[in-house]
Amino acid sequence: MRLTSTDRGRLLFVLALATAVAVFTATVPLLRDWFDLRVYHGAVDAWIHHGGSVYDYRVPGTEYGFTYPPFAAVSMLPMALLALHAAIAVGLLLNLAATAFVLHVLAGERLRRHGWFGLAVTVCLLALLEPVRDTFSFGQVNLVLLALVLGDAWLLSTGRARWAGVGIGLAAAIKLTPAIFIVLLLLARRPRAAGTAVGVAATATALAAWVMPDASRFYWTEAVWDTTRIGRLDYVSNQSLQGVLARLADPAEPSRAAWALAALAVLGVWVWRARRALAADDLLGAFALTGLAACLLSPITWVHHLVWLLPSLAILFGEGLSRRRLLWIAGGLYALLCSSVVWLWFDDASGIDGFVGSNTYVWITLGLLLGLPVGQARVNRPPWRRRTSDTAPAPSPAAPARVPASASQPTEPSPPVMAAGTAVEPAVDTRRGGRSEPTGSTRPAAPNPQSSSERASSYTAKPPA
C-alpha cells in the first residue's frame, strides 16, 4: 500500500484512522456516562460513609444498584477515598492498563515486529469494537477480569506455573463467570493451578464475609439467585443462550428445560474442543474456547461482556495471515461486532428477522465455539518463550562428529519456542525448522439507544413502553 510505504504516510494514515474512530464513537454508539462505575462508587460510598449495605444502594432516579459478589465491593474500597470524577479517571487508567496487557499477551510479539504503526492501527481498531468501547464507557471491569485470566494462561504457557491460578481465583471472586476457567485447569490436568484458583477465590470470599458479614449473607442466600436484580432476560443486550430463548418466548417466561438442553450441548462442544486444543498444547485456544462458552452459558451476557471474544478474534486474525479465507471471515465478524447491529431490534425482536438479527452476537459466539481453528500448528502466532531456568539444560560440549560434507548439518540445541497460548512440557525440541455472569448494574435505555441524544445503559430491567 503506497500510502503507508513511508513514515509520513503511516502517520497520516493513523491520524485519519484515529479521527474516523473518534467521529464514529462520538456519533454512532451512545455514550454510557460511566453508569456502572457510578454504581460501584455510590455503593462503596454508601457503605463506608453512611453505614448502609452495598446491596441496598440505588443510583438516584433508578431502581438499579450493586449486584457483584461481596469481594468485588471489598476490592473497590479505595473508591471511598476518591470523588466520582477521580474514580472515573482511575477506572479509565485501569482499563487502559488491562487493555495493554491483553494486547501484549495476545499479539505482543507480532505488534513489536510492526512497530508503532502496527500498534497504533490495532489500538484504533480495538477502540471501535462495541464490547470494548462499552466497557470503557460504562466504567466496567470486564477488561480487568480478562487480563487476570489471560495472565494465568501466560504463566502456564511460559513455565511460570508457580503463581498460575491466582488471576482466575481473583476474577471468580469478583464475578462468578470466570469460575469456568477453574474447570478448564482441571481439563488441562493442572491440579496445582486449579487448587490455587479455588484457594484464592475461597480466601477472597472469606475475607469479604469477615469484612461485611451481613452483606455476604444476603448475597449468597438471596441476591445471587435473584436475576430480576440484574435486568430482563429478553432485553436485546443480553447476548446469551438464555437471552435467545427469552426473546423467543416473550412475553412468556423462557423454558428452563430448553435452556438446560442448550446449555448441555454447549458444554459438550466446549469440553470436546477444549480437550482437543489441550492435547495439541494449544492453551490459548483452550482459554479462547472457554471464554466463548462462558458468554453462552451465563444467564445474562450484556454486550460489554463480549470482551471474552478477544482471544478468539486474535487467533482468527493470526491464522488469517496465512489463510486468506479466514482473514475475510475475521474481518466480517469484526465489522459486525463494531456495528451495534443488534440494537436495530431494540423495540421488536419478533419474526424471523428479529430472531436472526437481535441475536447476531450469539450466532458469532456459537460459530467461533464450533469453528475456531485451535489445536493445530500456528505459524503466525507470536512465540512465548519459557525462561532459561525452566528449560532443560543444553548438552555439555563434546567433540563434533565427523560427517560427510554432503550431509546436512544438525542445528544447535535451543530453548523451546512455543506458539502463543500453547502449553509447553519440560521436554525440549533440539532442532529448529527452515489470540455472567450478571452485570454490575443496569439503567433504563432511551427509546432508540443508537440515535437518541439521551444517554442510556445498554441494558435495562424495565424498557420504556
Side-chain angles (χ1 to χ4, degrees), residues 219-395:
Y219 179 82
W220 294 111
T221 60
E222 295 184 42
V224 71
W225 313 109
D226 185 6
T227 58
T228 62
R229 290 174 54 88
I230 305 157
R232 280 182 50 176
L233 292 175
D234 64 341
Y235 189 60
V236 74
S237 183
N238 184 15
Q239 294 291 303
S240 68
L241 292 176
Q242 189 79 289
V244 175
L245 296 174
R247 283 185 285 276
L248 277 174
D250 184 52
E253 290 294 316
S255 168
R256 294 186 179 182
W259 179 83
L261 289 174
L264 284 174
V266 167
L267 277 172
V269 173
W270 166 61
V271 170
W272 168 59
R273 299 217 67 212
R275 292 184 59 151
R276 290 191 62 182
L278 293 168
D281 288 338
D282 186 2
L283 191 60
L284 180 61
F287 268 72
L289 292 171
T290 306
L292 299 171
C295 290
L296 292 168
L297 294 172
S298 176
I300 291 183
T301 297
W302 303 129
V303 169
H304 52 77
H305 292 161
L306 296 176
V307 295
W308 293 101
L309 271 61
L310 287 177
S312 299
L313 292 176
I315 290 174
L316 204 56
F317 273 107
E319 286 295 296
L321 296 178
S322 60
R323 298 160 65 182
R324 186 61 58 88
R325 180 177 61 87
L326 286 180
L327 190 60
W328 282 104
I329 293 174
L333 297 183
Y334 166 80
L336 285 173
L337 286 168
C338 292
S339 67
S340 301
V341 64
V342 297
W343 296 101
L344 295 175
W345 288 270
F346 168 72
D347 292 313
D348 183 8
S350 61
I352 296 178
D353 65 315
F355 175 69
V356 174
S358 69
N359 301 308
T360 298
Y361 297 164
V362 181
W363 310 140
I364 290 174
T365 309
L366 273 173
L368 288 171
L369 181 66
L370 292 168
L372 187 69
V374 298
Q376 53 192 274
R378 299 200 188 280
V379 176
N380 290 300
R381 281 196 311 182
W384 288 349
R385 294 180 181 270
R386 296 180 74 176
R387 297 177 301 175
T388 304
S389 60
D390 292 326
T391 62

Side-chain angles (χ1 to χ4, degrees), residues 19-356:
T19 301
V21 169
V23 172
F24 177 84
T25 304
T27 58
V28 177
L30 201 66
L31 296 178
R32 311 305 184 183
D33 200 24
W34 294 284
F35 183 80
D36 286 7
L37 191 141
R38 291 195 287 117
V39 170
Y40 311 152
H41 184 270
V44 171
D45 180 74
W47 169 32
I48 298 300
H49 297 299
H50 303 285
S53 169
V54 293
Y55 298 110
D56 290 336
Y57 173 79
R58 296 293 183 270
V59 175
T62 78
E63 301 176 5
Y64 314 116
F66 197 83
T67 60
Y68 292 172
F71 180 71
V74 173
S75 67
M76 295 174 184
L77 269 176
M79 284 189 178
L81 304 175
L82 302 173
L84 176 60
H85 288 91
I88 290 172
V90 172
L92 286 173
L93 290 175
L94 284 175
N95 272 328
L96 286 171
T99 303
F101 181 75
V102 168
L103 284 176
H104 168 71
V105 171
L106 297 179
E109 191 70 24
R110 188 179 300 120
L111 290 177
R112 281 191 289 272
R113 289 202 301 267
H114 292 284
W116 69 268
F117 177 68
L119 178 61
V121 171
T122 301
V123 170
C124 286
L125 295 179
L126 195 61
L128 285 175
L129 206 63
E130 185 177 6
V132 173
R133 66 180 191 248
D134 269 7
T135 291
F136 274 88
S137 189
F138 276 121
Q140 260 283 347
V141 297
N142 307 303
L143 284 167
V144 174
L145 300 180
L146 177 61
L148 287 172
V149 170
L150 287 181
D152 278 349
W154 182 78
L155 289 172
L156 289 170
S157 296
T158 54
R160 299 169 174 86
R162 176 181 301 179
W163 298 104
V166 173
I168 291 174
L170 287 174
I174 293 171
K175 283 182 111 173
L176 299 181
T177 304
I180 191 174
F181 288 92
I182 299 176
V183 182
L184 176 65
L185 293 176
L186 294 174
L187 290 176
R189 298 181 181 178
R190 301 279 189 164
R192 175 174 176 171
T196 298
V198 172
V200 169
T203 301
T205 302
L207 173 64
W210 177 69
V211 173
M212 44 195 311
D214 292 337
S216 294
R217 188 180 305 109
F218 171 76
Y219 179 82
W220 294 111
T221 60
E222 295 184 42
V224 71
W225 313 109
D226 185 6
T227 58
T228 62
R229 290 174 54 88
I230 305 157
R232 280 182 50 176
L233 292 175
D234 64 341
Y235 189 60
V236 74
S237 183
N238 184 15
Q239 294 291 303
S240 68
L241 292 176
Q242 189 79 289
V244 175
L245 296 174
R247 283 185 285 276
L248 277 174
D250 184 52
E253 290 294 316
S255 168
R256 294 186 179 182
W259 179 83
L261 289 174
L264 284 174
V266 167
L267 277 172
V269 173
W270 166 61
V271 170
W272 168 59
R273 299 217 67 212
R275 292 184 59 151
R276 290 191 62 182
L278 293 168
D281 288 338
D282 186 2
L283 191 60
L284 180 61
F287 268 72
L289 292 171
T290 306
L292 299 171
C295 290
L296 292 168
L297 294 172
S298 176
I300 291 183
T301 297
W302 303 129
V303 169
H304 52 77
H305 292 161
L306 296 176
V307 295
W308 293 101
L309 271 61
L310 287 177
S312 299
L313 292 176
I315 290 174
L316 204 56
F317 273 107
E319 286 295 296
L321 296 178
S322 60
R323 298 160 65 182
R324 186 61 58 88
R325 180 177 61 87
L326 286 180
L327 190 60
W328 282 104
I329 293 174
L333 297 183
Y334 166 80
L336 285 173
L337 286 168
C338 292
S339 67
S340 301
V341 64
V342 297
W343 296 101
L344 295 175
W345 288 270
F346 168 72
D347 292 313
D348 183 8
S350 61
I352 296 178
D353 65 315
F355 175 69
V356 174

Side-chain angles (χ1 to χ4, degrees), residues 400-413 430-434:
R402 297 182 180 276
V403 295
S406 59
S408 60
Q409 298 297 323
T411 58
E412 188 178 6
T430 59
R431 301 182 63 88
R432 291 181 186 168

